[in-house]
Amino acid sequence: MSERRLQGVYDALDVGNYKQALKLCDAALKKGDGPIIEALKAMALQRTGKSAEARALALDARRAISSPIDDGLIHALSLFYRAAADLPSVCEVCDEAFKCEPRNEVAGTQLFYAVVRLFDFPRQQTVAMRLQRAFPARQRQFSLWGVTSLLLQARPGGSATSALAPKLVQLATMMLEKAGGLQTVAELRLAIAVAQAHGEVAAEAARVSALDTRDAALEAARAADAESARRVLALLAANPELLTTIAAEAAELEATCVARTGDAHRSIALRESSLLTCADENWDVLCRFLDAALPTDGAVGERASAAELLAVANRPPPPRAPPPTDEAEYTERSARALAVVDALHATQPRARAPRLARVALCAKRLALASPDGAFAERDALALELGRYFAAYAGRACCFEDARPFLASLYEHVDAARAVCVSVEACCADADTAPTDGGEAATEARRARLQMQTCAAQWRAVLGVGARLAPRERAQLAVALARGYGEALPLGDACAKTELQPADGLLLCAASLLQADGCPLRPLAALLAPSALPADGAANSAARWRASAAEARAALGAAMALEEGIVHSRANFQMRLRLVALYAALGAADAAREHFEALGTRRLQLESLQYVILPAQLALGNEREAASACAHTRAWYVEAERDVSESAPLPYQHGNYTQALDFHSFRARLLTSAWRVHSALSAALLILASAPTDVPAAVETLASLGLAARARSAGGVRALIASLSVNLDTAVFESYSARRADATMRCAAQQWLCAHCAYAIALHAALSALLQPRDAAADAASPQGALHAGVGADSGPDSGPDSGPDSGPGGDADVGVAQSLAAAEDELGHAAGAAPTRPAHFAPSMAHSHVGLAAMRAAATAAQLTHARHWAAPSADAAPAGVGDALSATELLAELRARMGAWADAACTACERARAPLNAGPPAGSSWAELSALATDGGNEGAGEDANLLTADRFADALVCAPPLDARALCSLSELAFVQLPAGCLLAHAAAAALSRAAPKPGKKAGGGGGAAGTGAHEAAAQLGASCRAAVRDAAVRVGEATEGLARALAPLAAGGPALATGGEPGEGDCVQQPLALHVLPFADCLLDGTPRSAGATAARAAMAERLRTSYMSSASQLHQRLLAIGAALRQVGRR
Amino acid sequence: MTTLRPFEAADMFRFNNVNLDPLTETYTVSFYLQYLGRWPEYCHMALGPHGRPMGYVLGKSESFGNQPESWHGHVTAVTVAPEARRLGLATQLMDLLEYTSEHADRCYFVDLFVRASNKVAVDMYRKLGYSIYRQVIGYYSGEEDAFDMRKALPRDVHRRSIVPLPEPVYPSDLD
């Protein structure tokens, strides 16, 4: 066919004119043009949504693949299937082409790339070897493709078993040797990776092998590691010509490998030499030298990332030089290290690294010191930190450099005070230093400002602010804000895209205003569910003591930052802080505006959306939350496709080890906690808006696919490890001024644990709830897909259809039980890891408790499904589940006990949640009456429906007690967003399980039956019927209660009188008026009552308006939401 | 005081403190992967003492058509976090890219595009030895001009690659 006609079709497709493309294709087909036009037409049909027709056409076109190959046809078909995300079919097309012409190198390489896109490593190895045999001229290249494929299989996390992996690495080594000498740096990197894999796979094999003791396994792993290090050293020695462009990297690798072979002293000498001869300052090399010289016996230092912390927890530490055994050796090593650092300082007098190394050395000595000697070492550390401040406080990096070391002194008040004294002395000296006029004076003022900022940051990390009384803290904040105002002229010449030099002062002021060093007592925390343990620290509701002072402080911080943003629009730290502040204050719209102003791209959905999505979910912005979830989920699909499409690049360009990086990146995407979180949130949003639309929710969850495999404890840990690094940036950004870094890492870990547990729990609950009645019939349904996902990591024989009678209750029960154990394990780990749980994480922790509660119920429901087998025993089909041992009566009792326990916890927490509200407002106010009514409701209903009764009573009370204020709004949210869906979930789970447990009379199951079975049928049917009746009843009541809540909310949604009032607030007014109205007077106080600029005045007005509309918007959405839930639940009840 | 290491794909999830800067572009996943798959030796990440990203450079080597003397290194992105500025980090990253261009690929010059309005960046590049080779009208979404700045490497003995063009060009004129 003519090129011109073909180009016309391609052009039409490129510009999205599919009608034109179809028209051209039809015309060409009439003229007898061949299969390539069919393929292109299929593409056009696909893009117009006619998938079935498109696939049929593509299949027709595929039949025409024959020798000689039409490259255009193969290309068009590949494009079609890639656009349809059907990569296996691309492989088939390429395979068919290569079979037609086995001497066609292009066809062969295309087949290899198609397999690479699938990340099917064994198959790509096979294809690489086929190519190697078929095309001797390019044997070397194809051999290296094969080596890479082997390496990808053998590495931990690859597809090979631990028994097979060593053989694959051995094969890769032989292939490398056969390929001849290494020619490029990329080939050397590949060879090093293979050499290192020897140690990795041997260590992995040792760990999983049945060695008698852990010590033996550890010893075997270390021996393998040493052997692997020797292989790497041999490679480095054999290829000196390749090392010239990577000299520093090679030197570091050599020193590391020498240490791994057990020659610690030579390793230290190598590092020392490398340090003293290298002109550039390299902090990592310096730290490794210090680590080698003064090892702290495997302890994880401050520099360790969260991933490293977890790695240490899960695996034995790598071999290291032994710590000093006696005082003399310690003194000698320490003195030697100091001498090297000082020598470095002498050769690089302007470099920061040697000076910071002195600080690091002190920190190491402190870590190694005995309790008696710790005081002196701590003083020495404080002294070095003071010197570092004196040298570098004029630079913005001074704070970030020293932060980990400062954080280590947080708990040691005396040492922290000593550092502060040095800092103050430096600042005082700088203040009294004479300055000339002109440019030099301006520079001096800038340096002084930077020093002030740095001092404030240091004080914050040392815990000075947290130890002050609230009033003193506020005074300090005002002083910093004043300093900011005075320094603003220094930034007059700054471009709009630059940060103001004084921004740091304002951020510190905002931090100080946040009570107890926490961002604030978040309203969002009040949205935590009631199913919390009796733990005062974790009870987020109890944290909310909404005194007017706290509310004003939080809003004051927001106000100050709003003014800062007027002058420094590019300051993302301010915006992130504002997002968190507004989210916690319940002003979702305001939070969203600042988030949008950050200008984040889709790629950043993964790493930044956590800032805004929880707030949207908690504050009722469901439409936006759903949209955000949809965008995130779409991005994951897109990113996975991008990785697949890019996967051949490392092979095409000979950068073999990049294939390993791409594979790790893909694994990271597939196990992303945020991916799971967004899918679960989407599912919950569906359930919340339409409680009966369970299939849609399940379809959302089914999209998780591989992510669902992360249910095992190990999987979750890996997942957490991969995600923790994210938070090094994101979470630490928000909490930079708080506590030790290690504590924050722990907190981040907990946050992730909680979310993972939440994800796991809900996944398990829903999957148990939705087990298909007939696995075979439902295999193709979303439920079936989910079911398959649940069983995915249970082993090859544990799929949903693994047995002739493996109906509901089989493998999924095992999955649920495993999930339950894993989630409880993780949650226990999260709760026990750090006793000082930051308040900000409380909602997440609480969510996980709800998830667990739901899961417990689901697990019980799963157990109930065993009643079927109990009722109709069959020797060859009965699963060995826990339910076998329980009678129906016992099962019911278990269910009641579990639900009752959950409800009791809910009730207790409800009561506790309301207690501070009772204490807060003046006696006799409408709010007090309301709270009392609600509390009474909670006390009365200490049974399985207690939470529903509370909702019911609370709704009644609300109807009678307008006007609402912000806290009432929160309480409404608490009930509406957390309790109701969780309660419904439980009820649904019980009803569904019981109905499955009660086969229809007369139907025989599994060939069993008989008198005992009939009795069991009746018992199960009776249980099911009574549970269904209870659910119906509960649904009606919850529906009515919810509609009551919605009615109560209507005035606020319409902008009722509470929003229209203003004036000077009194201490008790907070409960009568929206919080937004408190901000302006306080902000005036903060800034001496005198707006500094027209911009600041405008910012205040804008903020007041934003808060007002934001609250109204939230109220309105809540109102709509509650109406919908109420109506849906009543519908359920009527059925 | 940094640790320089190869840019890894997972760095896409870590560089927010660098990329939230308004003048730093955040690209798509496929864009980054293309650079990491094809030119990994031109992509480096700088980490601070605590492992936090301080800045990075992304680049590549290419030529214009079949002109052998047009083989050059290209700076696609070089950026530094606000707290790590004025420490010479950008210079360090640029040195690294120039070293790779000169020694690994034997390039004749290194070039880059910068917003004409970004005076701070233009001045910095001048200090590093770059000069304006040409102005590209409407290079940034048709709204802003770019300067194509170049620095000759030792292989360009006669420094032909940096002789400035007398007239501005349009994006369509670019090779």
Side-chain angles (χ1 to χ4, degrees):
Chain A
M1 70 168 298
S2 79
E3 277 297 319
R4 194 174 52 81
R5 274 211 298 273
L6 207 55
Q7 191 57 48
V9 180
Y10 272 119
D11 289 345
L13 286 170
D14 283 347
V15 298
N17 190 349
Y18 306 127
K19 274 189 182 175
Q20 174 69 5
L22 285 170
K23 194 174 156 190
L24 291 172
C25 286
D26 286 338
L29 287 169
K30 276 182 189 164
K31 289 179 183 170
D33 278 341
I36 187 169
I37 289 293
E38 285 183 325
L40 293 176
K41 185 180 175 184
M43 213 181 304
L45 286 169
Q46 174 81 26
R47 293 181 191 180
T48 50
K50 295 174 182 171
S51 297
E53 197 180 337
R55 285 196 157 273
L57 208 54
L59 210 55
D60 281 346
R62 274 174 65 172
R63 292 196 185 101
I65 297 174
S66 61
S67 183
I69 298 171
D70 181 348
D71 290 338
L73 172 61
I74 304 300
H75 179 66
L77 281 170
S78 296
L79 281 181
F80 167 75
Y81 285 119
R82 279 158 70 179
D86 184 359
L87 296 180
S89 291
V90 180
C91 277
E92 287 169 15
V93 167
C94 294
D95 201 21
E96 286 161 23
F98 192 41
K99 275 178 186 160
C100 290
E101 283 191 18
R103 308 302 302 169
N104 185 328
E105 191 179 308
V106 174
T109 52
Q110 288 304 319
L111 171 60
F112 181 78
Y113 297 150
V115 179
V116 164
R117 286 191 196 98
L118 284 177
F119 289 87
D120 184 346
F121 308 134
R123 195 170 163 201
Q124 75 182 49
Q125 178 207 338
T126 309
V127 176
M129 289 183 167
R130 266 172 75 188
L131 294 175
Q132 195 184 340
R133 282 192 298 273
F135 307 105
R138 290 180 65 193
Q139 191 181 28
R140 179 184 179 79
Q141 181 187 359
F142 296 139
S143 171
L144 294 175
W145 287 7
V147 171
T148 310
S149 307
L150 286 164
L151 190 58
L152 282 162
Q153 291 173 70
R155 287 167 78 216
S159 53
T161 61
S162 57
L164 180 63
K167 293 172 189 165
L168 297 180
V169 177
Q170 193 57 43
L171 180 58
T173 308
M174 286 164 57
M175 286 173 68
L176 269 174
E177 284 168 3
K178 203 175 166 186
L182 302 172
Q183 295 173 356
T184 64
V185 173
E187 290 179 10
L188 175 64
R189 286 185 198 278
L190 178 64
I192 289 172
V194 171
Q196 288 176 330
H198 275 283
E200 289 168 10
V201 299
E204 190 67 24
R207 270 193 287 275
V208 300
S209 69
L211 287 172
D212 291 341
T213 64
R214 184 179 173 278
D215 287 346
L218 195 61
E219 195 50 46
R222 284 184 172 166
D225 191 54
E227 175 54 29
S228 147
R230 277 189 280 273
R231 285 173 186 269
V232 175
L233 287 171
L235 280 169
L236 294 177
N239 296 281
E241 73 287 356
L242 294 178
L243 305 182
T244 50
T245 55
I246 54 166
E249 189 183 334
E252 175 51 38
L253 187 60
E254 184 186 4
T256 304
C257 287
V258 166
R260 283 163 57 198
T261 60
D263 192 348
H265 293 290
R266 186 162 160 251
S267 169
I268 294 171
L270 280 171
R271 290 186 192 287
E272 198 177 307
S273 157
S274 164
L275 266 178
L276 295 174
T277 54
C278 181
D280 295 329
E281 50 174 350
N282 187 322
W283 179 246
D284 196 43
V285 174
L286 196 41
C287 283
R288 285 174 193 270
F289 164 71
L290 293 179
D291 284 346
L294 279 184
T296 46
D297 201 20
V300 178
E302 287 290 348
R303 291 174 54 255
S305 69
E308 284 169 329
L309 285 167
L310 283 161
V312 168
N314 292 336
R315 290 184 172 191
R320 308 175 65 143
T325 50
D326 58 36
E327 187 64 29
E329 188 187 355
Y330 170 76
T331 308
E332 186 197 330
R333 282 206 206 176
S334 180
R336 180 69 198 148
L338 187 60
V340 171
V341 167
D342 285 346
L344 202 60
H345 180 55
T347 55
Q348 301 175 5
R350 298 186 62 189
R352 282 154 41 234
R355 282 183 185 271
L356 193 63
R358 286 187 72 106
V359 177
L361 194 56
C362 286
K364 278 197 160 293
R365 290 169 59 98
L366 175 58
L368 289 166
S370 64
D372 291 340
F375 292 104
E377 295 296 353
R378 207 170 284 124
D379 285 347
L381 176 59
L383 186 67
E384 281 300 337
L385 279 166
R387 286 177 181 159
Y388 196 79
F389 184 90
Y392 297 108
R395 299 190 190 181
C397 59
C398 182
F399 169 58
E400 290 294 339
D401 289 350
R403 191 164 64 167
F405 306 107
L406 295 168
S408 70
L409 298 181
Y410 183 91
E411 304 291 348
H412 303 285
V413 179
D414 289 343
R417 192 176 294 135
V419 178
C420 286
V421 167
S422 302
V423 166
E424 302 307 339
C426 277
C427 291
D429 287 348
D431 286 342
T432 54
T435 52
D436 300 326
E439 189 67 22
T442 307
E443 272 308 304
R445 283 186 67 199
R446 275 176 179 269
R448 215 155 49 212
L449 172 63
Q450 183 54 53
M451 185 179 276
Q452 286 170 359
T453 307
C454 190
Q457 290 168 327
W458 277 43
R459 279 193 294 260
V461 176
L462 287 166
V464 174
R467 284 190 275 271
L468 291 175
R471 184 172 294 278
E472 292 170 316
R473 222 168 26 230
Q475 284 170 350
L476 186 54
V478 170
L480 289 173
R482 190 176 290 125
Y484 168 79
E486 288 166 3
L488 271 177
L490 283 175
D492 283 349
C494 284
K496 281 182 181 173
T497 50
E498 288 183 73
L499 307 188
Q500 285 283 324
D503 282 356
L505 283 182
L506 202 61
L507 280 162
C508 286
S511 291
L512 279 166
L513 286 171
Q514 294 159 4
D516 292 337
C518 297
L520 47 104
R521 309 288 178 93
L523 286 187
L526 194 61
L527 306 185
S530 304
L532 284 168
D535 171 3
N539 187 341
S540 54
R543 287 178 174 278
W544 177 254
R545 305 189 192 288
S547 71
E550 278 192 1
R552 288 174 192 175
L555 289 163
M559 190 66 244
L561 292 173
E562 286 284 0
E563 178 162 356
I565 280 291
V566 170
H567 300 289
S568 188
R569 302 197 66 79
N571 193 316
F572 63 87
Q573 284 177 311
M574 285 187 186
R575 289 210 189 271
L576 284 171
R577 190 69 66 90
L578 278 166
V579 172
L581 278 164
Y582 285 133
L585 284 164
D589 289 350
R592 180 180 46 78
E593 282 172 25
H594 278 291
F595 186 76
E596 286 174 356
L598 286 170
T600 54
R601 297 301 177 96
R602 284 167 68 83
L603 170 58
Q604 290 162 308
L605 285 174
E606 223 263 6
S607 52
L608 275 177
Q609 205 184 37
Y610 84 96
V611 180
I612 187 75
L613 182 60
Q616 286 174 331
L617 285 167
L619 296 169
N621 285 19
E622 289 184 10
R623 190 177 302 166
E624 284 166 15
S627 165
C629 288
H631 279 124
T632 307
R633 293 174 56 223
W635 180 79
Y636 282 111
V637 172
E638 180 187 307
E640 205 179 328
R641 193 189 60 220
D642 286 348
V643 182
S644 281
E645 288 297 325
S646 307
L649 285 171
Y651 300 93
Q652 288 165 347
H653 297 277
N655 297 313
Y656 308 106
T657 49
Q658 292 303 98
L660 311 183
D661 188 36
F662 283 23
H663 174 49
S664 302
F665 180 69
R666 181 172 180 265
R668 161 79 169 66
L669 278 177
L670 293 177
T671 55
S672 162
W674 195 248
R675 179 183 177 176
V676 177
H677 187 285
S678 54
L680 282 165
S681 298
L684 285 176
L685 284 166
I686 291 170
L687 286 175
S689 61
T692 54
D693 195 3
V694 175
V698 172
E699 196 165 4
T700 306
L701 292 180
S703 68
L704 289 175
L706 286 173
R709 292 188 182 195
R711 289 177 307 110
S712 67
V716 169
R717 284 206 181 89
L719 191 149
I720 291 165
S722 65
L723 258 285
S724 298
V725 286
N726 239 3
L727 297 173
D728 282 349
T729 295
V731 167
F732 286 39
E733 199 63 65
S734 304
Y735 305 104
S736 57
R738 297 177 55 210
R739 302 267 172 177
D741 275 12
T743 309
M744 287 316 302
R745 282 195 195 99
C746 210
Q749 203 174 322
Q750 280 181 40
W751 183 87
L752 284 164
C753 282
H755 274 269
C756 290
Y758 169 56
I760 294 159
L762 280 165
H763 184 263
L766 283 168
S767 57
L769 167 63
L770 298 160
Q771 285 168 57
R773 195 170 299 231
D774 181 337
D778 287 341
S781 69
Q783 290 94 327
L786 178 68
H787 195 181
V790 167
D793 62 353
S794 302
D797 298 324
S798 59
D801 299 322
S802 59
D805 194 18
S806 64
D811 309 307
D813 292 354
V814 178
V816 170
Q818 285 175 346
S819 298
L820 180 66
E824 288 193 329
D825 179 35
E826 287 304 324
L827 196 68
H829 175 69
T836 53
R837 185 181 304 140
H840 212 61
F841 295 108
S844 305
M845 295 294 293
H847 273 115
S848 72
H849 279 284
V850 163
L852 272 183
M855 193 161 102
R856 286 192 189 104
T860 308
Q863 289 170 8
L864 278 172
T865 60
H866 286 290
R868 173 183 167 190
H869 298 281
W870 169 79
S874 170
D876 59 346
V882 61
D884 285 342
L886 299 174
S887 71
T889 312
E890 287 168 331
L891 285 170
L892 181 64
E894 174 75 9
L895 177 64
R896 283 186 182 284
R898 286 183 185 236
M899 289 185 69
W902 183 84
D904 280 345
C907 225
T908 311
C910 269
E911 186 184 349
R912 230 182 296 126
R914 280 152 187 67
L917 302 183
N918 269 340
S925 72
S926 58
W927 175 253
E929 291 164 17
L930 176 63
S931 304
L933 275 169
T935 309
D936 286 344
N939 283 333
E940 276 176 18
E944 61 183 294
D945 289 324
N947 56 329
L948 308 183
L949 285 173
T950 306
D952 199 2
R953 289 297 191 95
F954 198 49
D956 287 345
L958 284 170
V959 172
C960 308
L964 295 174
D965 70 357
R967 285 190 299 176
L969 183 65
C970 290
S971 296
L972 284 169
S973 311
E974 179 183 14
L975 290 167
F977 286 100
V978 183
Q979 289 190 348
L980 299 189
C984 290
L985 197 64
L986 289 170
H988 275 293
L994 283 170
S995 60
R996 278 197 296 273
K1000 289 176 184 173
K1003 185 181 176 184
K1004 287 188 177 181
T1014 308
H1017 289 159
E1018 288 169 0
Q1022 199 176 346
L1023 288 177
S1026 68
C1027 192
R1028 272 195 295 276
V1031 168
R1032 276 202 299 273
D1033 185 37
V1036 169
R1037 283 189 293 113
V1038 175
E1040 287 170 353
T1042 309
E1043 288 181 3
L1045 291 176
R1047 281 197 300 277
L1049 195 60
L1052 187 60
L1059 287 164
T1061 57
E1064 192 67 22
E1067 185 69 22
D1069 290 343
C1070 179
V1071 296
Q1072 300 285 345
Q1073 297 171 0
L1075 294 177
L1077 300 177
H1078 292 268
V1079 64
L1080 293 178
F1082 181 72
D1084 284 341
C1085 289
L1086 179 70
L1087 299 170
D1088 294 334
T1090 312
R1092 293 190 183 282
S1093 65
T1097 309
R1100 286 173 200 186
M1103 180 175 168
E1105 178 60 21
R1106 186 181 293 161
L1107 282 169
R1108 194 182 76 78
T1109 53
S1110 189
Y1111 279 123
M1112 281 181 62
S1113 169
S1114 287
S1116 174
Q1117 291 186 48
L1118 268 171
H1119 177 232
Q1120 295 299 325
R1121 151 79 184 280
L1122 292 171
L1123 279 175
I1125 290 180
L1129 285 171
R1130 292 179 80 161
Q1131 282 271 325
V1132 171
R1134 286 196 200 101
R1135 279 208 290 266
Chain B
M1 183 172 50
T2 52
T3 300
L4 287 170
R5 63 153 174 78
F7 194 106
E8 296 168 0
D11 286 334
M12 283 184 243
F13 298 133
R14 301 187 188 114
F15 60 24
N16 284 327
N17 67 317
V18 181
N19 272 38
L20 283 173
D21 171 75
L23 290 178
T24 302
E25 187 61 61
T26 300
Y27 302 100
T28 60
V29 169
S30 61
F31 183 90
Y32 290 107
L33 291 182
Q34 189 191 26
Y35 274 77
L36 298 180
R38 295 183 67 174
W39 304 284
E41 68 278 16
Y42 283 82
C43 306
H44 297 276
M45 172 64 80
L47 302 175
H50 31 66
R52 178 182 162 100
M54 293 171 76
Y56 62 84
V57 64
L58 294 179
K60 61 182 174 181
S61 59
E62 61 185 359
S63 66
F64 305 131
N66 292 320
Q67 306 166 43
E69 292 196 6
S70 70
W71 196 254
H72 66 281
H74 175 74
V75 184
T76 302
V78 60
T79 178
V80 175
E83 70 270 16
R85 288 178 190 160
R86 301 166 71 97
L87 298 174
L89 185 56
T91 305
Q92 213 177 338
L93 291 165
M94 291 291 286
D95 283 350
L96 199 58
L97 188 135
E98 287 165 16
Y99 182 86
T100 307
S101 303
E102 184 185 341
H103 293 94
D105 287 329
R106 305 196 64 235
C107 294
Y108 287 85
F109 63 94
V110 175
D111 77 347
L112 57 89
F113 287 80
V114 59
R115 285 177 187 272
S117 65
N118 192 349
K119 192 173 174 304
V120 177
V122 172
D123 288 347
M124 183 193 79
Y125 293 131
R126 279 189 203 279
K127 279 184 192 163
L128 294 177
Y130 288 76
S131 56
I132 296 174
Y133 169 69
R134 58 187 168 180
Q135 184 168 355
V136 187
I137 295 170
Y139 180 78
Y140 291 102
S141 311
E143 293 168 0
E144 189 177 354
D145 295 356
F147 288 140
D148 176 359
M149 298 185 78
R150 291 185 177 186
K151 179 179 181 177
L153 295 177
R155 197 176 180 198
D156 182 10
V157 179
H158 303 293
R159 301 167 71 83
R160 288 196 193 106
S161 61
I162 60 168
V163 176
L165 296 190
E167 299 292 333
V169 299
Y170 288 89
S172 55
D173 301 328
L174 296 176
D175 302 292

